[in-house]
DNA sequence: ATATTTTTGTAATGATCATTACATAATTAA
DNA sequence: TTAATTATGTAATGATCATTACAAAAATAT
């Protein structure tokens, strides 16, 4: 019998090739996405397994069979889903003709979100904020993602300084750290002022430092 | 009998004037301070009443007799303690000959903290971040404190623009909002980089916008 | 003295927590 | 057809959760 297809698909359940056993009824990625939504609003500590069962419509049996690490594994997978969303943006950035403009647009678009989105903030920054003395592993995962975003900022700025799209001559590493700090700050301030005009002016002020 | 002294002291237990009943063994403010330390590290949701009993050395009987609102009242009192610390700074600012320099020094001093302090961040910003979908009252208290700080920034900047200590002619309200956003951002980024030199350069970059 | 009031410590309380056990269902392999 | 395997749903499990009940302690008031 030919089992090689399993290797191509890395055993992702949805594409599994005639494995033995009852087929899964739940789509794994969709379940993690539902979990992500709950975690994003309530945070890791305040989210119960009952919350996750309600959101995913999965029973504890299936949940623990699929995510043997329980709540922690689910949260980690949710974080990785956000990392992938970031990596998609980074890919878009690489193909862009004017990457610095794309980053500016990204910041500007934050102001346009609705109130609920403002109140949610950024799940990665939320995690870095909340879990330092609760769970080192998850906190480190969040910090790593933020550092990756910072690196993307730094690399983009360094190149933009070369082309003249950024005229501020300061160390690109400092400017990159400045931008990730703008992002981190924005995700608290937008809860104080979930108000388009106020946020628009704020973000313009933040970005004015670059040129 | 003369009971008027009670009124002068607003019934603060420590100064109580011959009230009937067993005298309290615990200092109320010290208990709230201990609670504040736990809440600051673990956050509201992840802090158990057992944690609070351990930290304060109080039994649940005394705890609930003193803080009849339980965990929530204790957290609220802890937040108010931070608000008082802020008000003390604001008072100092009012008496200062160069208020803008005092604010600059405040930001600069953040870089000098030790790693543990960096990882704790700001309990007020932490609360605004974590409790939006958990407890509206406590989240609003935190947001109000942040707005007070923002107002202090704005007022100080407006006056500094008049005296020339700030040369950036932008709307003081936007610059004030920019500064509270710097603070909010710093309190996430310092967890990513609990490193004096990196934070020092970052803060200088943040403040460079003012002049 | 005795009644009144307040604080304290301990022992419930019932709810909810994350996790596990297990029988059943649904599929493929032999 | 039957054995093997995997997923599912339900029902425990024991721990921990926030909170309350209550009796004893320690003070003042009468």
């Amino acid at each position: 019998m030919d089992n090689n297809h399993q290797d191509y698909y890395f055993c992702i359940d949805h594409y599994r090739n005639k494995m033995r056993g009852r087929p899964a009824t739940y789509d794994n990625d969709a379940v993690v996405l539902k979990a992500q939504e709950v975690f994003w609003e309530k945070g890791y500590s305040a989210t119960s397994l009952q919350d996750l069962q309600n959101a995913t419509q999965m029973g504890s049996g299936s949940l623990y069979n699929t995510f043997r690490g329980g709540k922690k594994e689910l949260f980690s997978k949710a974080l990785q889903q956000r990392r992938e969303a970031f990596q998609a943006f980074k890919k878009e950035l690489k193909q862009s003709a004017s990457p610095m403009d794309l980053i500016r647009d990204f910041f500007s678009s934050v102001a346009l979100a609705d109130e609920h989105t403002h109140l949610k903030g950024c799940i990665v920054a939320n995690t870095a904020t909340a879990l330092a003395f609760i769970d080192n592993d998850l906190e480190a995962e969040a910090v790593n993602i933020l550092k990756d975003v910072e690196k993307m900022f730094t690399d983009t700025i360094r190149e933009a300084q070369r082309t003249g799209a950024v005229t501020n001559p300061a160390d690109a590493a400092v400017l990159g750290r400045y931008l990730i700090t703008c992002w981190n700050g924005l995700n608290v301030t937008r809860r104080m002022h979930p108000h388009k005009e106020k946020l628009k002016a704020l973000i313009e002020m933040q970005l004015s430092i670059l040129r």
Side-chain angles (χ1 to χ4, degrees), chain A:
Chain A
M1 194 211 63
D2 180 10
N3 246 345
N4 286 341
H5 292 300
Q6 277 192 18
D7 300 317
Y8 288 111
Y9 297 118
F10 301 98
C11 285
I12 292 172
D13 185 60
H14 192 258
Y15 294 114
R16 75 180 192 173
N17 200 14
K18 303 290 178 188
M19 286 170 61
R20 201 146 48 165
R22 180 175 176 171
T25 62
Y26 302 106
D27 176 11
N28 219 303
D29 286 348
V31 164
V32 173
L33 185 60
K34 280 293 180 189
Q36 186 201 111
E37 289 169 11
V38 182
F39 281 133
W40 200 330
E41 290 198 0
K42 308 187 65 161
Y44 182 69
S45 298
T47 298
S48 69
L49 248 96
Q50 192 58 57
D51 291 332
L52 295 168
Q53 290 178 47
N54 294 343
T56 62
Q57 298 284 45
M58 255 178 144
S60 58
S62 291
L63 252 173
Y64 275 92
N65 185 58
T66 312
F67 309 99
R68 280 184 294 170
K71 186 179 168 179
K72 181 167 175 172
E73 183 182 340
L74 250 176
F75 190 88
S76 176
K77 292 252 161 68
L79 270 186
Q80 293 314 309
Q81 236 176 22
R82 294 315 303 162
R83 183 192 278 275
E84 281 156 27
F86 154 66
Q87 282 164 341
F89 178 82
K90 198 163 64 172
K91 192 177 171 187
E92 201 186 333
L93 197 71
K94 272 198 181 114
Q95 296 165 348
S96 167
S98 52
M100 207 54 228
D101 285 338
L102 199 56
I103 287 180
R104 284 185 220 268
D105 290 348
F106 165 74
F107 272 95
S108 299
S109 71
V110 169
L112 306 175
D114 60 22
E115 172 155 357
H116 186 259
T117 304
H118 287 315
L119 293 180
K120 282 171 62 184
C122 164
I123 191 180
V124 186
N126 296 355
T127 302
T129 296
L131 295 194
F133 298 95
I134 304 296
D135 191 299
N136 280 332
D137 304 324
L138 295 175
E139 201 250 358
E141 282 186 39
V143 164
N144 279 339
I145 296 175
L146 291 175
K147 283 183 174 174
D148 277 1
V149 177
E150 178 185 335
K151 184 179 186 311
M152 179 190 72
F153 287 151
T154 299
D155 293 345
T156 306
I157 289 169
R158 185 175 291 116
E159 176 62 12
Q161 285 174 324
R162 212 184 53 77
T163 66
V166 164
T167 56
N168 187 323
D171 183 356
V174 175
L175 286 169
R177 202 139 57 230
Y178 169 82
L179 270 197
I180 190 64
T181 309
C182 287
W183 171 248
N184 290 333
L186 217 39
N187 279 301
V188 180
T189 300
R190 65 199 295 205
R191 302 168 196 262
M192 302 169 56
H193 303 288
H195 184 283
K196 290 191 192 358
E197 294 309 312
K198 286 182 180 178
L199 291 173
K200 183 168 176 287
L202 168 62
I203 293 164
E204 279 170 16
M205 181 67 68
Q206 288 181 315
L207 296 180
S208 71
I209 213 170
L210 294 175
R211 64 175 66 238

